[in-house]
């Protein structure tokens, strides 16, 4: 089981098969909490079970979306710590970001922070409420 952390062109060797000089790699977190970098083919197989063009394309698009959300995370956290609207801060970077953050209406407890990009129905970043800055609403 792997968690997709993003995509990078800073690491160009696959930790799975050893292939070198790749255009980019997908950063994955394994069950032990270690970050590994797999080429897109190996990442597609690790996450979806088989090396296919469809799995490679899917993992590549998903990793790019996660990376975009991770890149805007510092802006969102800064807005939260300043007591500003994190959704507006994210949309200043790119209007395609949506931020789900606040308190639950029924209990008043702080929600986890979720950052979505464009039409994705899964968050690219999700941070539990207890890990958020103290200035949470």
């Amino acid at each position: 089981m792997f968690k997709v952390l993003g995509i990078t062109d800073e690491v160009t060797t696959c930790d799975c098969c050893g292939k070198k000089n790749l255009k980019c790699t997908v950063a994955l977190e394994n069950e032990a909490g270690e970050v590994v970098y797999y080429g897109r083919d190996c990442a597609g197989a690790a996450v979806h079970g088989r090396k296919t063009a469809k799995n490679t394309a899917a993992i590549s698009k998903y990793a790019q979306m996660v990376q975009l959300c991770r890149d805007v995370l510092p802006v969102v956290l800064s807005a939260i710590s300043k007591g500003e609207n994190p959704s507006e801060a994210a949309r200043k970077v790119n209007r395609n970001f949506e931020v789900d953050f606040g308190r639950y209406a029924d209990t008043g407890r702080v929600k986890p922070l979720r950052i979505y990009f464009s039409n994705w129905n899964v968050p690219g970043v999700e941070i539990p409420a207890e890990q958020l800055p103290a200035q949470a609403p």
Side-chain angles (χ1 to χ4, degrees), residues 68-81 89 115:
L68 288 170
C69 292
R70 289 175 64 88
D71 289 346
V72 80
L73 180 60
V75 172
V76 170
L77 292 175
S78 175
I80 291 170
S81 67
I115 303 174

Side-chain angles (χ1 to χ4, degrees), residues 57-132:
I59 200 67
S60 184
K61 286 181 183 180
Y62 182 71
Q64 289 171 3
M65 182 275 297
V66 169
Q67 189 63 52
L68 288 170
C69 292
R70 289 175 64 88
D71 289 346
V72 80
L73 180 60
V75 172
V76 170
L77 292 175
S78 175
I80 291 170
S81 67
K82 294 176 185 175
E84 299 172 356
N85 185 327
S87 295
E88 289 177 10
R91 280 193 220 107
K92 285 180 184 176
V93 174
N94 185 318
R95 65 183 175 89
N96 292 316
F97 285 111
E98 291 293 328
V99 178
D100 181 22
F101 179 70
R103 293 187 178 271
Y104 291 107
D106 57 345
T107 65
R109 295 180 63 196
V110 177
K111 292 180 179 181
L113 170 67
R114 294 182 180 106
I115 303 174
Y116 296 85
F117 186 77
S118 197
N119 294 321
W120 288 83
N121 61 355
V122 294
V125 170
E126 183 170 354
I127 300 176
E130 58 273 2
Q131 293 179 6
L132 293 173

